[in-house]
Structures are given as C-alpha cells and as structure tokens.
Amino acid sequence: MSRTVLLLNGPNLNLLGTRETEVYGTTTLDDIVAGIEAHAATFDVAVESYQSNIEGELIDRLHAARGTVDGVVFNPGAFTHYSYALRDAIAATDLPVIETHLSNVHAREEFRHRTVLAAVCLGVVAGFGPDSYRVAFDALVRHLDT
Ligand code: DQA
C-alpha cells in the first residue's frame, strides 16, 4: 500500500545551511528533503514538502493535509514554543504528526524547553541534526505500518 508523508518546515528553516551553522550545521533544507525523498522511495512512500515562515500558511497546509497525506514530519521552528494556533491545527488534522528538531531544544535556552505542540503529536525527535528528519520519518512509517 502506498503512503504519503508531508515534510513540513516552519520559520527560518529556509535558511538552513547558512543560518547559525554552529547550531544547525551546513546542510540545506533542499539537501534534507532530497535525502528523505531518496530514502522514502525505498519504502514506496511518496513525499510532499512545504516550508513557510508564516504561521497561517502552515495552518492552511495542515488543513490541506487532512485526508490527502498519511502523516507529517513537522519542524515548527520557534512556533513550537508558543503557537496554540498550530497546536489546534495539528489536533484538527487527526493525523500522526512527529515534532522534529535539528537541535536538542532541551539543552538550549530555557524558552526552547517548552513545547506547546508535543502533547498533540505522536512523538518528538530532537538533537540529531539532519538525521532527526530521518529518525522521525522512519518512526512515522513504522507507525503507519502497524
Ligand atoms: C528548531 C529549534 C527551535 O527552537 C528554533 O526556533 C528553530 C529550529 C530546530 O530544528 O532545532 O528554528 O526547531
């Protein structure tokens, strides 16, 4: 059975590769998406990808995901820490969503320790750099298969 996973990325992640490279590394978002697409092909999983710096656009994309994708790997960027609107949108999708971060947010500034989204997500992956997306993707596909 073929499945579709949405890779959703929030604010400032379009700058990956050049943004705070000491924290986020030099891999670009295009590199990450291409790596997941190649990996997903071996599982017969289709990948859709969307990035926006705008909260409302991320909400619209989550709404559009309802009934069209099977699950979401979502790096919400700083919205993680305060967006109740994204939390409600995730809950409304009724889809498995994995909150994903490149950095270990719990080892950074205090404001990053809090996530208002995790409670409505299937799980959280943080701290493995670009590999966080791969770990989240694999966990999501495993979940879809069970
Ligand atoms: C991030 C962590 C967030 O705290 C930060 O605002 C980001 C990136 C990460 O992938 O580590 O933009 O989500």
Side-chain angles (χ1 to χ4, degrees):
M1 186 191 58
S2 135
R3 295 136 300 170
T4 302
V5 167
L6 171 64
L7 294 187
L8 189 58
N9 281 280
N12 302 306
L13 295 163
N14 55 310
L15 298 182
L16 282 180
T18 56
R19 166 199 183 199
E20 295 179 87
T21 52
E22 65 290 355
V23 178
Y24 299 115
T26 54
T27 307
T28 67
L29 186 56
D30 283 349
D31 292 337
I32 290 171
V33 172
I36 293 292
E37 281 171 348
H39 179 63
T42 67
F43 291 88
D44 191 27
V45 174
V47 174
E48 294 180 9
S49 171
Y50 183 76
Q51 187 276 332
S52 177
N53 295 319
I54 299 167
E55 187 179 26
E57 290 185 352
L58 294 166
I59 292 168
D60 285 345
R61 191 64 190 82
L62 283 165
H63 292 178
R66 290 205 297 178
T68 63
V69 310
D70 299 292
V72 185
V73 171
F74 187 17
N75 186 343
F79 288 141
T80 305
H81 313 300
Y82 65 91
S83 175
Y84 297 120
L86 274 174
R87 178 190 171 116
D88 286 351
I90 291 169
T93 63
D94 218 12
L95 287 168
V97 175
I98 304 201
E99 182 187 312
T100 305
H101 303 284
L102 295 132
S103 64
N104 178 357
V105 285
H106 301 288
R108 300 182 62 198
E109 304 96 316
E110 186 109 22
F111 76 88
R112 295 185 204 275
H113 298 180
R114 177 163 184 254
T115 160
V116 300
L117 308 182
V120 290
C121 290
L122 177 65
V124 180
V125 177
F128 302 101
D131 284 348
S132 289
Y133 289 84
R134 171 82 77 104
V135 172
F137 176 88
D138 286 350
L140 180 57
V141 171
R142 245 176 121 79
H143 171 79
L144 295 175
D145 283 347
T146 53

